Amino acid sequence: MDTRPKPIVPFSSFLSGKPSKNYILNLLSHHIFEIAPGRSLDAGAGELRNLWMFPGKYVGISRERATYFKGLERPPNPQVIQKRGMPDVYLMRLESDFSFLGEFDLAVCTFTMMYIEDRVDLITRLSDRVRQGGALIIEAPIESVDGALAVLEPRFEEIELVY
């Protein structure tokens, strides 16, 4: 049994009007800051809500063109883009093969998994994109846990489940 204390996650800002979503977004921001990835994949980038969180090269997958363009204008994205340059965002479905994107220090998929029928397949393909020593952060419905753990346990040295 792991007896290590759980980390205290500071709420740096009010990121959502929904308390549970606010918690998850602050937790995500905290972990991204700690990981400090050089190259990240945001699978399900949507309106680029999380763009500001990623310090290095940002690659996103988004399904809707209109949502992506709306995200480019979403504060603080214009300032982030002015400072770092345009993000690389691929307009495609997550069910598609995205292996051509290469490896990442961090792959993230939040508030998207509920729209995917074969979640274990997506989790497998996301974990394939994480380089040795990298990290994968997913937010998924609780019924996905058993299948996800079976895929992730042999691939990662450490797995933390927050629910």
Side-chain angles (χ1 to χ4, degrees), residues 71-149:
L72 291 175
E73 300 301 320
R74 177 190 184 90
N77 290 343
Q79 294 82 6
V80 171
I81 292 168
Q82 185 177 27
K83 183 178 177 182
R84 298 186 206 157
M86 285 293 286
D88 291 341
V89 177
Y90 294 83
L91 297 175
M92 60 190 289
R93 297 180 62 86
L94 286 172
E95 293 87 352
S96 302
D97 178 17
F98 50 82
S99 61
F100 67 92
L101 296 175
E103 291 186 330
F104 296 88
D105 301 310
L106 172 64
V108 171
C109 185
T110 57
F111 304 105
T112 303
M113 202 69 71
M114 68 194 87
Y115 303 111
I116 305 298
E117 189 172 324
D118 190 346
R119 296 175 186 139
V120 173
D121 175 64
L122 177 58
I123 292 168
T124 301
R125 291 182 299 108
L126 284 169
S127 68
D128 287 344
R129 302 286 38 94
V130 177
R131 70 162 180 78
Q132 184 72 29
L136 171 64
I137 298 174
I138 56 173
E139 179 272 335
I142 196 74
E143 63 268 11
S144 305
V145 170
D146 290 338
L149 288 176

Side-chain angles (χ1 to χ4, degrees), residues 16 35 97 131 146 155 157:
S16 173
I35 294 166
D97 178 17
R131 70 162 180 78
D146 290 338
R155 296 171 181 236
E157 290 178 12

Side-chain angles (χ1 to χ4, degrees), residues 38-53:
R39 185 168 191 257
S40 300
L41 173 63
D42 189 2
E47 290 184 8
L48 305 175
R49 181 181 315 269
N50 302 334
L51 175 64
W52 65 271
M53 294 182 193

Side-chain angles (χ1 to χ4, degrees), residues 5-46:
K6 298 295 181 202
I8 295 174
V9 177
F11 277 38
S12 58
S13 58
F14 193 67
L15 301 174
S16 173
K18 297 178 182 177
S20 61
K21 192 170 187 176
N22 189 50
Y23 172 75
I24 291 171
L25 289 170
N26 274 277
L27 185 64
L28 177 64
S29 174
H30 173 77
H31 283 301
I32 291 172
F33 177 79
E34 284 192 341
I35 294 166
R39 185 168 191 257
S40 300
L41 173 63
D42 189 2

Side-chain angles (χ1 to χ4, degrees), residues 149-163:
L149 288 176
V151 167
L152 298 174
E153 284 176 334
R155 296 171 181 236
F156 290 90
E157 290 178 12
E158 184 177 326
I159 296 175
E160 181 177 336
L161 178 65
V162 178
Y163 62 96

